[in-house]
Amino acid sequence: MNNQQLFIKKSNDEVELFSFEKLTNSLRNSGANENDIATIITKLKLEVYDGISSNEIYKKAYALLKKHNRIAASRYSLKRAIFDLGPTGYPFERLVGALLNEKGFKTKVSVILNGECVTHEIDVLAEKDKNVYAIECKFHSDKRAASNVKIPLYINSRFLDIQKEWNSNSKNKTHLKQGWLVTNTRFTEDALNYGKCVGLTLLSWDYPKNNGLKANIDTLALYPVTTLTTLNKKEKHQLIDKNVILVKELINAKEKMKNIGISEVRIQRILDEVKQLCEN
């Protein structure tokens, strides 16, 4: 079907023209080779129809990619895999902490800090070069959700309360420099403008451009266990319950995999996927 005539229904119920070029780029970015991409696109052109949902297209593309290249399929599923970390925000906080560790920060997750006025729970506290950063993680389980301006307004007010107390306390040998806000979806334009205005660092799925959450996870190979094609949904959540959040943590989690009933043969298959995903 000509993509000029193909309209798709997005998750927010909006309708837009579908671009096979955009899908091709997504498959290419996941690491699929050109031959596999051409095969997948050819098959999809026979299966898609006017009014098909974007979710249905994703499922079809993912299933085809999985047959050709499981590692590329894992990367292609990253956005969905982060949603699958829910329903609580803690695994996402661990992911953000791991990302900062890779960038040379020392981090603590779920920290209680005194402010000048009240006490606050901070999702991630990060330190580097004697500067400290208070990071709040806004996890959305609904992919249609966006963080509006009310959220950075609230986060910045909390940060300022903590900053006053921290930097006036002679016992602290570090400087509380900045607040951050990280989300797995997106920010509204007002939220971005407010963050820039007050100096609040914002990180979302694709913001800042070429340096958002997706770009950092791909660059650092910090994939969540929910990306793996060799684990079923139940096993993924059993591992998350055992505080195994990242793919690379499975290398030292053989006993935990055994404890949830995964056989030696499958453990080896899982670790093979882990190795390929982290090294490519």
Side-chain angles (χ1 to χ4, degrees):
M1 182 180 287
N2 190 317
N3 66 334
Q4 292 284 323
Q5 301 172 341
L6 180 63
F7 286 86
I8 62 168
K9 190 173 183 180
K10 298 171 65 178
S11 57
N12 60 3
D13 293 330
E14 292 180 0
V15 175
E16 70 174 19
L17 275 171
F18 176 63
S19 169
F20 277 106
E21 182 181 357
K22 186 176 178 181
L23 176 58
T24 297
N25 288 335
S26 294
L27 293 169
R28 188 177 289 128
N29 290 338
S30 73
N33 63 49
E34 295 303 316
N35 287 337
D36 289 344
I37 292 172
T39 300
I40 291 166
I41 295 297
T42 299
K43 289 181 179 179
L44 280 176
K45 283 183 175 180
L46 298 174
E47 297 182 15
V48 296
Y49 52 88
D50 199 39
I52 190 173
S53 70
S54 57
N55 185 54
E56 190 64 25
I57 290 177
Y58 164 79
K59 287 180 179 178
K60 289 178 180 292
Y62 175 74
L64 289 167
L65 184 56
K66 191 174 173 181
K67 290 179 181 178
H68 291 275
N69 187 329
R70 297 180 78 94
I71 302 305
S74 293
R75 293 198 187 97
Y76 182 67
S77 71
L78 177 59
K79 192 170 190 177
R80 306 288 178 113
I82 291 178
F83 287 119
D84 288 342
L85 286 172
T88 72
Y90 178 73
F92 182 62
E93 294 165 17
R94 281 262 282 106
L95 176 64
V96 172
L99 189 155
L100 290 167
N101 285 338
E102 291 289 333
K103 291 178 174 288
F105 291 84
K106 294 179 181 177
T107 63
K108 294 179 181 177
V109 177
S110 297
V111 180
I112 303 296
L113 294 179
N114 291 325
E116 184 179 57
C117 302
V118 295
T119 300
H120 305 270
E121 182 176 358
I122 302 301
D123 293 333
V124 182
L125 196 68
E127 180 188 338
K128 187 177 184 181
D129 300 328
K130 295 197 173 183
N131 286 315
V132 177
Y133 304 83
I135 296 133
E136 289 298 297
C137 302
K138 187 64 178 177
F139 176 78
H140 294 288
S141 55
D142 182 353
K143 60 186 175 183
R144 297 170 295 182
S147 293
N148 61 33
V149 70
K150 293 179 182 179
I151 298 173
L153 273 165
Y154 170 64
I155 296 306
N156 192 56
S157 66
R158 295 180 70 217
F159 168 73
L160 293 174
D161 188 41
I162 296 165
Q163 187 184 47
K164 287 178 183 178
E165 172 63 25
W166 184 287
N167 291 340
S168 64
N169 190 335
S170 59
K171 293 180 180 178
N172 289 324
K173 306 303 179 185
T174 54
H175 176 71
L176 187 56
K177 184 177 182 180
Q178 193 181 44
W180 290 23
L181 176 58
V182 183
T183 186
N184 61 314
T185 55
R186 64 182 183 86
F187 295 107
T188 64
E189 188 175 351
D190 278 352
L192 292 173
N193 289 336
Y194 178 79
K196 290 174 187 175
C197 183
V198 299
L200 188 69
T201 291
L202 300 181
L203 180 69
S204 72
W205 175 249
D206 54 6
Y207 180 88
K209 187 176 180 180
N210 300 321
N211 194 29
L213 194 61
K214 180 187 184 303
N216 276 279
I217 291 172
D218 280 332
T219 299
L220 300 171
L222 286 176
Y223 299 102
V225 293
T226 42
T227 58
L228 292 175
T229 63
T230 45
L231 286 169
N232 62 41
K233 188 174 182 178
K234 181 181 177 182
E235 290 165 344
K236 290 172 183 178
H237 284 284
Q238 285 176 317
L239 287 167
I240 289 171
D241 288 343
K242 292 181 178 292
N243 202 30
V244 179
I245 310 299
L246 303 174
V247 161
K248 67 178 186 178
E249 292 171 343
L250 287 168
I251 295 169
N252 298 314
K254 288 184 180 181
E255 284 303 314
K256 289 182 179 180
M257 284 190 277
K258 286 180 184 177
N259 289 340
I260 64 171
I262 301 177
S263 68
E264 287 280 1
V265 172
R266 285 195 60 227
I267 286 174
Q268 190 54 55
R269 198 179 305 147
I270 291 162
L271 293 178
D272 286 342
E273 183 181 7
V274 168
K275 184 178 180 182
Q276 291 180 68
L277 188 56
C278 291
E279 288 183 356
N280 283 331

